[in-house]
Amino acid sequence: MSIIQSKTVAHQVDEILLERIRDGSYAAGSRMPSESELSEELGVSRATVRTALAKLAATGLIIRKQGDGTYVNAHVREASVHTGNLWDLVQLIEGNGYNSSIRSLSIERRVATEREALALALEPGDELLSMHRLFLADGQPVILANNVIPFNLLRTPMESIDGELHIREIFHRYCHQKITFAITDIRSTVMDEQAKEFLGGAAGRAILQLQVSFYGKNNLPLALGMNFFDDSILRLSLVQAWN
Amino acid sequence: MSIIQSKTVAHQVDEILLERIRDGSYAAGSRMPSESELSEELGVSRATVRTALAKLAATGLIIRKQGDGTYVNAHVREASVHTGNLWDLVQLIEGNGYNSSIRSLSIERRVATEREALALALEPGDELLSMHRLFLADGQPVILANNVIPFNLLRTPMESIDGELHIREIFHRYCHQKITFAITDIRSTVMDEQAKEFLGGAAGRAILQLQVSFYGKNNLPLALGMNFFDDSILRLSLVQAWN
DNA sequence: AAGTGGTCTAGACCACGGC
DNA sequence: CCGTGGTCTAGACCACTTG
């Protein structure tokens, strides 16, 4: 019996199962009740149980085996990162077991580089809003994030922007548009001067570079992200299961 | 009317839709028929259409918008990589638009390092089968792959091993066990001497390092993988869509 | 042989977006 | 308002793994 109602039934089932895995009712490595049993116990259809289980399986937290059963994955902390939240840097940091905080470094207006103009389908000379932010894990800098937005999309004064919001929230609040999807390239790079200044560590060390393009409806590019990710502190791990 | 029958109805629907996207029947950026229309046209239930569409949406190839419709994503080549095939290096290379080939460099027997023994739950001094392989894209080296397997798991002579198979296939064929899931850590690293010898390029450049642990039933670790990935040639990109 | 997850159906209602 | 995708149900059969 829960006080807070989740949006969907499947999501509620999800939370119940998550809770049971967390508190050890379903021990790591052990087999969970079958879909039919859960369906009956929780009073929902088997299909609903399945959508909840599918969500957990996608994160790698449980492993499903046809003809056998559903097992709690002993090697994946709930922490583990999966594709779904690769863009939510806060969630990524907290998934690694840290407390996250954001420090806004600068919010400025400048002319787009050739490359940025191309990626955002702008004219040469058009202006951008450029934000630099530092994400901290337990107070330690781990991600240097740079985001740019075409200046003419802004609907409110630049000074009013809250530098601690997620890009999608910023876009929704200050540009009155929705970002519907994003494409991220994962690359490896040697830390440059700027990154070194904020992330620290030895010169010439390698860090991950997450290069993101954000798109809105009509498939138009709305914003760019360039994140430098210190993989010596944060893990970026993915889980894959087979039948 | 198809000659080759796919395994599931949903998969067949998937292939039909994929074909229509490829040949331009459903143009990039345009809205596709609704679920009900597809359901009726193809003679399957709406639920089946939905599972097929869900698979396409997961790869980012289509974008679904509640209350609006389903759109063909203009920015994602079918090529694009998604979580599902991050471990299939051949598919990853071909997804980038190259022809892939594999060169087996060495297959040898040696003692496990401390680190390997720990990761594979072995005793110090236990032996491993170690394989080095080079994956080529259009003849150009792009991934240096190293895999290790506890030697005592081998059921056939070491000499009989086909160095061009996927690890899961090798395990199935020569160890008579199934790899059921894997956890991959994505890291950034500066190319070492060994990698430089095979991948080439300037010393000190950064490449991606995909560190994989393979598990079997009972959650026991069965094999390790260490792949050096030249991200100057191959793209590792992920797509995320929101409602 | 029994039980499991995987697939599929034919209905229903809801939440949202565009007109 | 209407049509869309999102959720949910109650049933059925299949493919697979294990005892």
Side-chain angles (χ1 to χ4, degrees):
Chain A
M1 200 166 115
S2 63
I3 309 289
I4 301 167
Q5 291 296 329
S6 302
K7 207 173 182 183
T8 71
V9 179
H11 190 222
Q12 293 175 46
V13 172
D14 224 282
E15 290 184 336
I16 291 172
L17 298 179
L18 213 47
E19 177 60 27
R20 291 182 181 177
I21 291 173
R22 257 196 288 258
D23 74 14
S25 306
Y26 300 154
S30 67
R31 187 163 70 178
M32 293 171 55
S34 71
E35 296 179 351
S36 317
E37 287 171 335
L38 288 173
S39 161
E40 192 176 358
E41 182 210 335
L42 302 173
V44 299
S45 79
R46 196 184 141 210
T48 303
V49 171
R50 278 183 65 76
T51 71
L53 289 172
K55 207 180 302 181
L56 292 177
T59 72
L61 201 89
I62 62 175
I63 306 284
R64 322 201 63 198
K65 300 179 187 172
Q66 183 173 162
D68 185 353
T70 300
Y71 293 82
V72 179
N73 187 343
H75 291 88
V76 179
R77 309 155 302 289
E78 189 201 335
S80 122
V81 175
H82 58 285
T83 325
N85 57 14
L86 181 56
W87 297 263
D88 189 338
L89 302 179
V90 168
Q91 200 174 330
L92 210 156
I93 290 170
E94 293 178 347
N96 269 267
Y98 299 101
N99 288 316
S100 75
S101 52
I102 303 175
R103 187 187 304 158
S104 182
L105 300 175
S106 69
I107 300 182
E108 56 179 14
R109 177 179 187 167
R110 64 170 172 80
V111 173
T113 66
E114 217 172 299
R115 187 183 205 165
E116 289 165 336
L118 190 68
L120 290 170
L122 301 176
E123 299 297 320
D126 279 358
E127 289 187 309
L128 297 176
L129 177 75
S130 170
M131 303 175 46
H132 281 89
R133 304 189 289 175
L134 196 58
F135 287 73
L136 314 172
D138 285 355
Q140 186 174 12
V142 286
I143 304 172
L144 176 63
N146 182 19
N147 288 101
V148 300
I149 300 173
F151 199 84
N152 60 24
L153 291 182
L154 269 191
R155 292 281 165 274
T156 52
M158 185 173 94
E159 293 71 22
S160 65
I161 293 178
D162 180 348
E164 306 214 346
L165 298 174
H166 187 286
I167 296 291
R168 294 187 63 229
E169 181 61 23
I170 287 177
F171 227 83
H172 179 67
R173 199 177 291 193
Y174 306 112
C175 302
H176 306 159
Q177 289 196 53
K178 271 182 75 172
I179 288 177
T180 57
F181 74 99
I183 301 179
T184 301
D185 274 24
I186 302 176
R187 311 189 89 93
S188 178
T189 187
V190 173
M191 208 160 49
D192 65 9
E193 279 307 314
Q194 189 202 33
K196 183 167 180 292
E197 178 183 348
F198 294 108
L199 295 178
R205 69 192 256 256
I207 53 176
L208 288 174
Q209 182 182 12
L210 307 180
Q211 220 166 331
V212 196
S213 296
F214 297 94
Y215 297 87
K217 58 183 62 180
N218 310 119
N219 293 310
L220 295 174
L222 294 181
L224 301 177
M226 175 73 88
N227 304 321
F228 296 99
F229 182 106
D230 189 340
D231 65 307
S232 68
I233 298 172
L234 290 186
R235 288 179 52 176
L236 192 61
S237 53
L238 303 172
V239 180
Q240 163 82 338
W242 291 276
N243 300 325
Chain B
M1 197 166 118
S2 64
I3 310 288
I4 300 169
Q5 291 297 330
S6 302
K7 207 173 181 185
T8 69
V9 178
H11 190 221
Q12 292 175 48
V13 172
D14 224 281
E15 289 182 336
I16 291 172
L17 298 179
L18 214 45
E19 177 60 27
R20 292 183 181 176
I21 291 173
R22 259 195 288 257
D23 75 14
S25 307
Y26 300 154
S30 68
R31 187 164 70 178
M32 294 170 57
S34 72
E35 296 178 353
S36 317
E37 286 170 337
L38 288 173
S39 160
E40 192 176 357
E41 181 209 337
L42 301 173
V44 298
S45 78
R46 194 183 143 212
T48 303
V49 171
R50 278 183 64 77
T51 71
L53 289 173
K55 208 181 299 181
L56 292 177
T59 72
L61 203 96
I62 62 174
I63 306 283
R64 323 200 62 198
K65 299 178 188 173
Q66 184 172 159
D68 186 353
T70 300
Y71 292 81
V72 179
N73 188 343
H75 290 87
V76 179
R77 309 151 302 290
E78 191 200 334
S80 123
V81 175
H82 57 285
T83 325
N85 57 13
L86 181 55
W87 296 262
D88 190 336
L89 302 179
V90 168
Q91 199 172 332
L92 208 155
I93 290 169
E94 293 180 347
N96 271 266
Y98 299 102
N99 289 317
S100 74
S101 51
I102 303 176
R103 187 187 304 160
S104 181
L105 300 175
S106 70
I107 301 183
E108 55 179 14
R109 176 181 188 166
R110 63 169 172 80
V111 173
T113 66
E114 215 173 299
R115 188 184 204 162
E116 289 166 336
L118 191 67
L120 290 170
L122 300 177
E123 299 297 320
D126 280 359
E127 290 188 309
L128 296 175
L129 177 75
S130 171
M131 304 175 47
H132 282 89
R133 304 189 289 176
L134 196 58
F135 287 72
L136 314 172
D138 284 354
Q140 186 174 13
V142 285
I143 304 174
L144 176 63
N146 180 21
N147 287 102
V148 299
I149 300 174
F151 198 84
N152 60 24
L153 291 182
L154 269 191
R155 293 279 166 277
T156 53
M158 186 171 95
E159 293 71 23
S160 65
I161 293 178
D162 180 348
E164 305 215 347
L165 299 174
H166 188 287
I167 297 291
R168 292 186 65 229
E169 181 60 23
I170 288 177
F171 227 84
H172 180 64
R173 198 176 291 193
Y174 305 114
C175 302
H176 305 159
Q177 289 194 55
K178 272 182 75 172
I179 289 176
T180 57
F181 74 98
I183 302 180
T184 301
D185 274 24
I186 303 176
R187 312 188 87 93
S188 178
T189 187
V190 173
M191 209 162 47
D192 64 10
E193 280 307 314
Q194 190 202 30
K196 183 167 178 292
E197 179 184 347
F198 295 106
L199 296 178
R205 69 192 257 257
I207 53 176
L208 288 174
Q209 181 183 12
L210 307 180
Q211 219 167 329
V212 196
S213 297
F214 295 95
Y215 297 88
K217 59 183 60 179
N218 311 119
N219 293 310
L220 294 175
L222 294 181
L224 301 177
M226 175 72 88
N227 305 321
F228 295 99
F229 181 106
D230 189 340
D231 65 308
S232 69
I233 299 172
L234 290 185
R235 286 180 53 175
L236 191 61
S237 54
L238 302 172
V239 181
Q240 163 80 341
W242 291 275
N243 298 325

